[in-house]
Amino acid sequence: MNRRSFLKAGAAALAGLALNARANTPARRIKTGVQLWSVRKLCEQDFPGTLRALKAMGYEGVQCGGFFGRTAKELNTLFKDLGLAAAGMQMQADRIIKPENLAASVEFARELGAPYLFVPHFDAKTADGWKRFAEQMSVAAQTFKAAGIRLGYHNHQHEFRDRFDGVCKWDILYQNASQDVYQQLDLGHCMLAGESPAFWLRKYPNRNPAVHVKASSNTTGVIGADGVDWEPAFAACEADITEWYVVEAEVRPDTLDDVRGCLAHMKKLGRA
């Protein structure tokens, strides 16, 4: 190779690197947290030690899917002491839609310092059941809103797969809920249901403050090892109101390896 060819090859390589860097540059920065359900076995054994390990790994916040024997105030103090933000929380539907439980649930979320609370599961067997749930969530959302907390719902796969008269459960819920009922779109479950997260983020804009970043796989908990192109989903989140990417790895709750692997792939994509 002569000098001219060498210089051309070098320029082409640098241009390629620059293009790749731009492709992995997010439109805006979104914080990275982790759902503690991902490492629940470790949390049960050594909760403060597990939180320290997650912080050292590079996670900025944690989302509670369980409370590990702590009160909301104790969790709030522990998170602050370790420099971790509360990236929301989850609580079962009965604690939200039953009026007799609502005030205590709002107070728990307030004391924890959670900016949002998501119901992690619901499964009415009829369209009317989902419409009723939408109404109940809309009513509860007003109480949460008055406390400065956003209330929402977290999907699995059945909300997209199951349909009543051709309309999926997700659509029934959000066509009947108020704008104050937010979403926690689980990106991995959405893809496993054969759907595009980007499509749903665009269909219901300004509803997803904290999405779940979960591998689209039943055999690995690590994004990137699932063979999925995550760029469209991340780009759609950045075009919306998303404030947190919350990693959730469900396959192995007794190791830090999967949440470490997810974070490493997000860093590779410029998302952490």
Side-chain angles (χ1 to χ4, degrees), residues 149-227:
I149 301 164
R150 285 174 277 184
L151 176 67
Y153 178 73
H154 166 279
N155 66 282
H156 288 80
Q157 296 172 46
H158 67 89
E159 291 91 348
F160 299 107
R161 293 185 184 277
D162 296 349
R163 296 173 180 270
F164 301 101
D165 294 325
V167 183
C168 72
K169 296 172 178 177
W170 195 250
D171 269 336
I172 295 172
L173 174 58
Y174 285 101
Q175 287 171 4
N176 290 278
S178 75
Q179 288 292 318
D180 291 321
V181 180
Y182 289 83
Q183 303 175 355
Q184 181 168 58
L185 189 64
D186 186 304
L187 307 178
H189 274 314
C190 183
M191 288 187 277
L192 281 170
E195 299 288 336
S196 163
F199 169 83
W200 290 102
L201 284 159
R202 288 192 295 266
K203 183 168 185 176
Y204 295 105
N206 305 319
R207 303 287 276 270
N208 274 276
V211 299
H212 265 182
V213 178
K214 180 185 297 171
S216 181
S217 170
N218 294 315
T219 57
T220 179
V222 181
I223 68 165
D226 55 3

Side-chain angles (χ1 to χ4, degrees), residues 41 55 69 97-98 114 251 268:
K41 296 297 183 183
K55 174 65 176 179
I97 62 176
K98 289 188 175 181
V251 177
K268 181 180 178 182

